[in-house]
Amino acid sequence: MTLRVGEINEINRFPVKSFAGERLGTCTVESYGLYGDRFCAFYDETKAGWESFFTARKIPNMLAYRAMLLDDKISVQSPDGRTFGWNDDLLAEIQKYAKTKVSMTSYMAPNPEDADLMSVDAASVLIITDKSLKKLEAIWGKKLDARRFRANLVVALKEDEFNEVEWIGKRLLIGSSEFQVDTSCERCSLITIDPDSLERDASLLKKVNEELGLMFGVYASVKKTGQIHIGDKVYLV
């Protein structure tokens, strides 16, 4: 049975891990996720695995840099308006915020699909819903910016009774693409950072822990590649 549960309200891509990203009207879905998502990252050569990545948890200022993918090239705008490419100048810029040596890596060429999800956490696509945002905003008692959760897709739900946690183990049809909803997303201190002021408010993570077991949003993997657009209907299989 196929059931319409909502429609795509936002498509967000983050070409550089832990940098601010870009809002898209449409995007190609590849086997590893949204094309261009987390194509590039900064890392510590002395560490291995996920612990090797420099993220906004360690360097909150990373969130003040906005990354875009223009003609398959990374373009980064600094908080003071300067523009960088994915090059040594940007590396020197980020090195200013770290005491240890920062290195950079790119999964853009020649075959990004071979990069084992690149620097994307868990499954390839992170999804949240407008209903869950409103619920958490009520729990927290403060205005909540969806950018804190760095979701690739924000779904506007059709009816109040739908809940994305119930999608786990099922599939979503969006545009010409198909996704498998795999697991809930366990949250960390990154959500405590205001995306504009970079100020921390630990009370948000505390509420997510107390009320939601640290889980907010769901991870999905790609089962069928294709194209998605703002306004595409979301169907649950």
Side-chain angles (χ1 to χ4, degrees):
M1 183 178 71
T2 301
L3 177 67
R4 178 186 164 193
V5 295
E7 66 179 46
I8 297 299
N9 196 37
E10 290 182 21
I11 301 173
N12 300 302
R13 179 169 65 187
F14 305 94
V16 177
K17 188 176 180 67
S18 264
F19 277 13
E22 54 187 338
R23 183 79 57 84
L24 304 176
T26 184
C27 189
T28 300
V29 177
E30 299 287 359
S31 60
Y32 52 81
L34 299 190
Y35 178 78
D37 195 47
R38 276 83 166 191
F39 261 13
C40 299
F42 295 96
Y43 71 102
D44 184 338
E45 292 180 347
T46 67
K47 297 182 180 180
W50 294 108
E51 290 299 318
S52 67
F53 289 117
F54 283 99
T55 70
R57 292 191 294 272
K58 302 174 183 177
I59 306 177
N61 293 79
M62 292 178 73
L63 292 175
Y65 291 79
R66 181 170 179 254
M68 297 168 285
L69 190 63
L70 304 175
D71 296 325
D72 283 341
K73 294 182 179 180
I74 298 292
S75 177
V76 174
Q77 186 174 52
S78 70
D80 59 5
R82 290 171 294 149
T83 300
F84 295 88
W86 189 251
N87 52 34
D88 290 342
D89 290 338
L90 180 61
L91 179 61
E93 177 76 9
I94 300 305
Q95 183 65 67
K96 296 188 301 186
Y97 300 108
K99 295 180 180 179
T100 56
K101 181 185 176 183
V102 178
S103 297
M104 60 200 314
T105 185
S106 171
Y107 304 94
M108 295 179 65
N111 296 307
E113 64 270 19
D114 294 334
D116 192 23
L117 293 183
M118 302 166 298
S119 53
V120 179
D121 296 330
S124 358
V125 179
L126 178 57
I127 304 172
I128 63 174
T129 67
D130 59 347
K131 175 188 173 183
S132 291
L133 281 168
K134 291 175 183 176
K135 177 182 176 181
L136 181 55
E137 189 172 73
I139 291 173
W140 193 33
K142 300 178 184 180
K143 187 68 177 176
L144 191 59
D145 192 321
R147 290 178 296 165
R148 288 177 180 265
F149 302 98
R150 299 179 67 79
N152 294 118
L153 304 179
V154 179
V155 176
L157 293 180
K158 183 174 180 288
E159 302 289 348
D160 286 343
E161 62 263 26
F162 294 131
N163 187 319
E164 65 268 31
V165 175
E166 298 170 359
W167 301 347
I168 294 174
K170 301 176 182 178
R171 295 196 178 194
L172 297 176
L173 305 181
I174 307 173
S176 57
S177 302
E178 185 173 340
F179 302 86
Q180 171 82 31
V181 183
D182 298 314
T183 183
S184 294
C185 176
E186 183 174 346
R187 293 298 174 170
C188 65
S189 61
L190 190 60
I191 68 171
T192 69
I193 305 173
D194 184 282
D196 291 321
S197 69
L198 304 185
E199 294 179 358
R200 290 184 182 268
D201 189 337
S203 66
L204 176 58
L205 187 62
K206 182 179 179 181
K207 285 295 183 182
V208 173
N209 183 32
E210 292 174 346
E211 303 292 337
L212 303 174
L214 274 183
M215 301 297 180
F216 187 81
V218 291
Y219 278 122
S221 52
V222 177
K223 292 302 177 183
K224 181 183 177 184
T225 62
Q227 197 78 16
I228 57 174
H229 306 80
I230 291 293
D232 277 347
K233 303 301 184 287
V234 178
Y235 296 93
L236 180 67
V237 179

